[in-house]
Amino acid sequence: QKEVEQDPGPLSVPEGAIVSLNCTYSNSAFQYFMWYRQYSRKGPELLMYTYSSGNKEDGRFTAQVDKSSKYISLFIRDSQPSDSATYLCAMSPPGGGNKLTFGTGTQLKVEL
Amino acid sequence: SQTIHQWPATLVQPVGSPLSLECTVEGTSNPNLYWYRQAAGRGLQLLFYSVGIGQISSEVPQNLSASRPQDRQFILSSKKLLLSDSGFYLCAWRFPQGGEQYFGPGTRLTVT
């Protein structure tokens, strides 16, 4: 079993939809959680970073962490074609650690 | 603000040839530095990380090596490339005390 599970998609939604992207993990030591967006043939871009349970909002993006269920989500409101990309979740133990554990990414396509 | 550079952006090399990929970070001191390889559908694989000049930790035994000759410079090398070395190589940095990592634009390597 992988430490981090992420549905690879592809996930196709119409413009304006609310998108929900999810990861589950098995290691209860993970305390820091990140979401990255990666456009084709580009490096991952950090979208959200959180280290506590609950919600964190930044513009159209909301990151949600449920440590009791070992489940994290990224919600995108009013999705745009420019949101079409692969979304990677990542996590690490307390103190950051030098090893991030990544999901394999979910490919999202937002259609006009 | 901090920026991270990688070069070259793309590289095509024959089997058995040497490799040198370079990564530099601007706008911060004493960053932790990382080399990843991303293969299609397989997520991000941590290859090496460094917490300081001359300090290299290897995560995956292979024919690659890394060096950190200066505080903000990280180099990935190989004496003889294999076909299996093809992939997308990403450099990343983080603050020494931080958890989140920031990625460079990547180098796409094709070994022929």
Side-chain angles (χ1 to χ4, degrees):
Chain A
Q1 182 187 5
K2 292 181 182 178
E3 279 192 291
V4 179
E5 299 277 359
Q6 187 175 10
D7 188 331
L11 177 63
S12 184
V13 301
E15 184 180 9
I18 297 174
V19 176
S20 174
L21 304 167
N22 310 296
C23 287
T24 58
Y25 62 96
S26 57
N27 188 347
S28 58
F30 290 145
Q31 299 291 322
Y32 291 80
F33 304 93
M34 287 138 273
W35 284 97
Y36 290 87
R37 177 176 63 195
Q38 186 175 23
Y39 293 113
S40 180
R41 307 181 76 85
K42 303 291 184 182
E45 170 193 4
L46 181 67
L47 280 178
M48 301 287 283
Y49 170 57
T50 183
Y51 52 86
S52 60
S53 288
N55 294 354
K56 180 178 181 179
E57 188 174 319
D58 184 1
R60 295 185 296 112
F61 299 94
T62 299
Q64 187 176 80
V65 175
D66 182 349
K67 291 182 181 177
S68 62
S69 300
K70 298 189 182 67
Y71 189 89
I72 67 171
S73 299
L74 178 70
F75 297 97
I76 307 174
R77 290 183 299 280
D78 187 25
S79 56
Q80 303 295 311
S82 59
D83 294 326
S84 298
T86 296
Y87 290 80
L88 301 161
C89 64
M91 45 200 78
S92 70
N98 277 300
K99 294 177 67 174
L100 290 184
T101 302
F102 285 85
T104 52
T106 298
Q107 186 180 352
L108 171 67
K109 184 173 183 180
V110 181
E111 298 179 331
L112 291 168
Chain B
S1 64
Q2 300 81 23
T3 55
I4 179 169
H5 305 278
Q6 285 186 249
W7 63 89
T10 60
L11 192 59
V12 180
Q13 293 283 93
V15 169
S17 65
L19 173 74
S20 181
L21 303 181
E22 189 166 343
C23 170
T24 59
V25 179
E26 296 177 354
T28 187
S29 296
N30 195 32
N32 287 10
L33 297 172
Y34 306 85
W35 278 113
Y36 288 88
R37 178 168 57 205
Q38 188 176 35
R42 295 185 61 185
L44 284 156
Q45 179 187 34
L46 179 63
L47 302 175
F48 302 94
Y49 69 89
S50 171
V51 299
I53 295 174
Q55 300 179 62
I56 308 295
S57 295
S58 174
E59 289 296 308
V60 183
Q62 56 206 334
N63 69 320
L64 298 173
S65 62
S67 61
R68 185 171 177 173
Q70 299 180 45
D71 182 44
R72 289 168 288 179
Q73 184 185 31
F74 205 22
I75 297 172
L76 183 69
S77 304
S78 174
K79 292 182 180 179
K80 289 186 178 182
L81 284 168
L82 306 173
L83 284 174
S84 58
D85 290 324
S86 293
F88 192 43
Y89 288 83
L90 290 157
C91 182
W93 74 274
R94 56 158 255 215
F95 293 107
Q97 71 279 14
E100 72 277 26
Q101 295 179 16
Y102 300 90
F103 286 85
T107 295
R108 188 160 303 277
L109 172 66
T110 303
V111 182
T112 60

